[in-house]
Amino acid sequence: MDALATTGALVGNPVLIFFIVLVIILLAPLLLKKLKIPHIVGMIVAGVVVGPYGLNLLDRDSSFEIFGQVGVLYLMFLAGLEIDMYHLKKNVRKGLGFGLLTFFVPMAVGVVAAVLMLGLDLVTASLLASMYASHTLIAYPVITRLGITKNPAVLVSIVGTIIAILLSLLVLAITVSITHSGEYSLLDFGQLLLRLGIYCAVVLYSYPRLTRWFFKNYSDKVTQYVYVLAMVFLASWMAQVIGLEAVLGAFFAGLVLNRYIPNVSPLMSRIEFVGNALFIPYFLIGVGMMINIRVLADPGTLLVAAHMLVVALTGKWLAAWMAQKMYRFTPDDRTVMFGLTTAHTAVALAVVMIGYNMIMPDGSRLLNEQIFNGTVVMILVTCALAPIVTSGAAARVKIRMMAEGADESDNASRRKPMRTLIPVSNPVTAGSLVDLALMMKRKTTDESIFALHVRNDNSPNSIAIGQNALKLAGETAAAVNVQMSTIERYDLNTVAGIVNTVNERGITDVVVGMHQKLTVVDSYLGGKIEQLIKDLNNMVIITRCYIPINTITRVVVVAPPKAEFETGFAGWVIRMASLARRIGCRIIFFAHPDTIPLIRGVIHQEKIEARTEYRHFDDWGDFALIANRVLDDDLLIVISARRTSLSFNSDMDTVPGLLAKYFGHNNLLIIYPEQFGEMPQLESFSDPLTSDLNAAPSGAFLHLRAWLKWLNMQKKRLTHRKRRSE
């Protein structure tokens, strides 16, 4: 019996077909939510009901095949795109270990059970067991909805999925070759590995460079979205060309493009929205339409299906249990791993179809009709079971993660509320300023963001420019689900408007774009920004970026000696580390040897998991030497100081000239930290990499000692001036 054969469906109108699918996508989650059944199960069950083996409303035609294929590729792409690369690198060894377990354990159990209980020969049993060893991340949307994608068990499961699929496809190739020719040469295996190596090298080399160039030259979000999808399907097609599954290419493309699509970017929001709203539900409905529940009427098929189901679930559960013991995970982590690796769809169906269509010399099929129908039942049960198991365990993992982060939340609630003001005057740069501010947000606080346009005339042109700039700023924030207040203000001048808004709204930070130097006598920062710095004690961040922030290669921070004595020291460290964390790049701190341990302490205390490096820098006279270390795609961040601040010295007067001379074409941030505010009460400024963790003094003591040093320095200056006058 051909379980995929279909008859004429009741509905053939394309418009009505699409309407029915949309109704299913809309109502299935709403109805089943009341029954506490995961929406994924609802999509699959709905596919069974309306499909050719249910009410036969819809036929599984080419449209479902195309959208279903797109859906599974989209699912794997999102899995690679949403992976936290920092945590992935920490758990990659565990992932490789679990991948071997979740492949070889079901493989061994499946071969033994097939030989002893189904009477299959070793080659056929190996082909059937490769189906048990593979799986699909059909329950991954449950993980994303609960926000536990960074959990080690989830990351280990994702890496293990790729390993299991890859090994299963290798077994499939070997068994098919042996069945056809009676042998499988090592030369064929070596050629496959060579093609895989070339494929990975080509994607790793070309995709980052092409993506960085494209994003620099084309800022339209729709164009960028289409480009990303094109790259995903190109990688998937190339994977098929070398003899592997397209899902591997989609996942690999997600890993490579991960770096250029931050989680807080509008592009990421669009990718997730389209996938979760259309393509992935289409795939799930298509899976349900393939399932023929009528085979349950055959006792022989039910017996084989029960055997296959027990073997598949046992093998995957044993692998998850062994990984839990090896890596000291919790029982809930084990259940999440089991739930993610339980469902069998694409690869399992491909394996059984190949075996079913392969005719032996005696006229029989390599995998008979009962095994084929048993596979259909196994797909139905595992696809329904996986999201249910994952949903319950993932909810408990989420609660545990929230409990573990309670102390961090308490610390965040005791901090001074962050309120960021973004003055916008040009619609062209409004979006990029908002993007930068969003990238620098603290992860543990709900930060208020305001966009401000100040005008000093009521001309229609001025009003239109301001409203357009505020509109674009608001759209950029709304694209990543961030609420931002827009303020249009009439004031004496721009600086007065900003200062008055800061005082009225309790603003803590100001993010402003750098002006363009138009005349020879014009200063580097410009008169407006210089006046703003004089009038405000808040943190002021001045930005000039020639390329999109997500294409930055590295973040290079240059801090002056005694920067740790400033009130806003912890504030800029947290923001810069958060920026590098969200971009996914390295951050290199050039600072005084006494400052570096305190920077490390702030990052460690805030639990900002960024890739950090530290270089000694204690003389502003050597600032020009850094020019050789800063690349064109780097972001240079200079921590400056006001003249009345503790970290100011006369060498800083030469910095604007050096920036203009050596860094005129570099992406630049100049930060003036907060002054004379309330000193942040950090628990520890200790350096986690030093042997003496209690050696660092407290923040209050550092502040007092800094003032004493400053007073002593002023006394010496006065004495020196008196001697010169005498």
Side-chain angles (χ1 to χ4, degrees), residues 593-609:
D594 294 339
T595 308
I596 290 176
L598 303 179
I599 294 175
R600 280 176 167 159
V602 172
I603 295 175
H604 176 72
Q605 179 178 315
E606 293 292 322
K607 299 179 180 179
I608 304 175
E609 297 166 324

Side-chain angles (χ1 to χ4, degrees), residues 124-409:
T124 307
S126 299
L127 178 64
L128 183 62
S130 67
M131 180 180 63
Y132 301 141
S134 66
H135 57 267
T136 303
L137 292 174
I138 199 170
Y140 188 76
V142 175
I143 300 298
T144 57
R145 283 175 178 249
L146 290 174
I148 61 170
T149 56
K150 298 179 182 179
N151 182 265
V154 174
L155 295 170
V156 166
S157 301
I158 294 174
V159 177
T161 297
I162 301 305
I163 300 299
I165 292 176
L166 185 60
L167 293 177
S168 297
L169 294 175
L170 291 176
V171 172
L172 174 62
I174 293 173
T175 53
V176 171
S177 178
I178 292 176
T179 303
H180 279 301
S181 61
E183 60 180 2
Y184 186 78
S185 65
L186 293 177
L187 179 61
D188 294 335
F189 182 74
Q191 289 178 347
L192 179 60
L193 293 181
L194 178 61
R195 292 195 299 269
L196 178 61
I198 295 175
Y199 168 80
C200 293
V202 169
V203 174
L204 285 174
Y205 179 83
S206 61
Y207 269 45
R209 288 162 176 79
L210 187 58
T211 301
R212 188 180 290 115
W213 173 85
F214 192 90
F215 284 179
K216 286 180 183 178
N217 292 276
Y218 301 95
S219 59
D220 181 70
K221 301 305 179 185
V222 175
T223 305
Q224 291 184 352
Y225 175 79
V226 175
Y227 164 81
V228 169
L229 282 192
M231 292 295 101
V232 172
F233 285 95
L234 177 61
S236 303
W237 173 75
M238 289 191 299
Q240 290 181 323
V241 169
I242 66 171
L244 297 176
E245 274 293 311
V247 292
L248 295 175
F251 178 80
F252 192 50
L255 287 180
V256 176
L257 297 176
N258 182 296
R259 164 68 176 77
Y260 305 98
I261 308 176
N263 288 330
V264 295
S265 64
L267 179 58
M268 184 65 176
S269 298
R270 287 176 171 84
I271 291 173
E272 289 182 331
F273 174 78
V274 175
N276 293 325
L278 186 61
F279 290 130
I280 294 176
Y282 238 109
F283 160 66
L284 297 174
I285 295 172
V287 169
M289 295 176 72
M290 292 189 300
I291 297 173
N292 185 2
I293 58 175
R294 298 170 187 170
V295 301
L296 299 178
D298 182 12
T301 299
L302 285 179
L303 185 62
V304 173
H307 161 83
M308 297 176 66
L309 190 61
V310 170
V311 171
L313 295 178
T314 301
K316 291 298 182 180
W317 188 90
L318 285 176
W321 177 78
M322 294 171 68
Q324 177 208 352
K325 298 301 181 182
M326 288 175 56
Y327 305 134
R328 299 181 181 179
F329 287 157
T330 65
D332 288 332
D333 291 333
R334 178 197 64 211
T335 306
V336 168
M337 296 168 67
F338 171 64
L340 285 174
T341 59
T342 294
H344 297 75
T345 55
V347 179
L349 194 60
V351 170
V352 74
M353 285 293 293
I354 290 174
Y356 180 75
N357 293 326
M358 191 174 295
I359 307 299
M360 305 303 292
D362 59 357
S364 63
R365 299 180 182 272
L366 184 63
L367 295 178
N368 59 34
E369 185 176 339
Q370 286 187 336
I371 293 178
F372 184 91
N373 291 330
T375 303
V376 173
V377 175
M378 183 189 71
I379 290 175
L380 170 63
V381 176
T382 56
C383 287
L385 183 64
I388 295 175
V389 171
T390 306
S391 180
R396 294 190 294 270
V397 170
K398 178 65 174 180
I399 294 174
R400 188 189 73 209
M401 293 174 64
M402 293 174 62
E404 292 173 351
D407 294 338
E408 186 178 357
S409 299

Side-chain angles (χ1 to χ4, degrees), residues 62-89:
S62 58
S63 65
F64 277 96
E65 293 179 0
I66 293 175
F67 275 88
Q69 182 68 18
V70 171
V72 70
L73 296 180
Y74 214 106
L75 182 65
M76 296 302 296
F77 169 62
L78 278 179
L81 194 62
E82 293 177 346
I83 283 181
D84 189 293
M85 299 304 292
Y86 180 88
H87 290 89
L88 177 64
K89 292 178 180 178

